[in-house]
């Protein structure tokens, strides 16, 4: 690497998109993931659709309990 770089002709925010969505990675324990994958397969659902449905139900329960 160089000691210094010349950014005098750089364009600020050239790749910024205000409508861009950020997808956060979620890391599950191996046993939790395996269980959820097999439950989703048994229901014939996509893994991420199944997880989102579970999380939405949990959010509803949490909000009702408040």
């Amino acid at each position: 690497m160089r000691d210094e770089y010349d950014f005098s002709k750089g364009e600020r925010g050239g790749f910024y998109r205000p409508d861009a969505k950020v997808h956060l990675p979620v890391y599950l324990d191996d046993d939790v993931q395996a269980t959820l994958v097999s439950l989703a397969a048994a229901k014939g659902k996509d893994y991420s659709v199944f997880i989102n449905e579970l999380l939405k139900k949990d959010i509803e329960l949490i909000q009702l309990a408040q």
Side-chain angles (χ1 to χ4, degrees):
M1 286 188 65
R2 298 179 190 166
D3 289 335
E4 293 185 21
Y5 291 87
D6 180 12
F7 293 104
S8 62
K9 295 179 184 174
E11 179 184 334
R12 186 178 195 96
F15 294 98
Y16 173 74
R17 301 290 179 259
D19 57 343
K21 291 183 180 182
V22 176
H23 296 278
L24 302 176
V26 176
Y27 301 100
L28 303 173
D29 292 342
D30 291 338
D31 58 332
V32 172
Q33 183 171 345
T35 301
L36 292 173
V37 166
S38 87
L39 288 170
K43 291 188 175 278
K45 293 191 175 190
D46 180 68
Y47 171 70
S48 39
V49 170
F50 182 71
I51 297 295
N52 275 300
E53 289 173 355
L54 284 176
L55 290 172
K56 287 176 183 179
K57 288 177 185 176
D58 278 350
I59 290 168
E60 285 179 31
L61 290 172
I62 291 167
Q63 289 173 335
L64 288 172
Q66 292 179 350

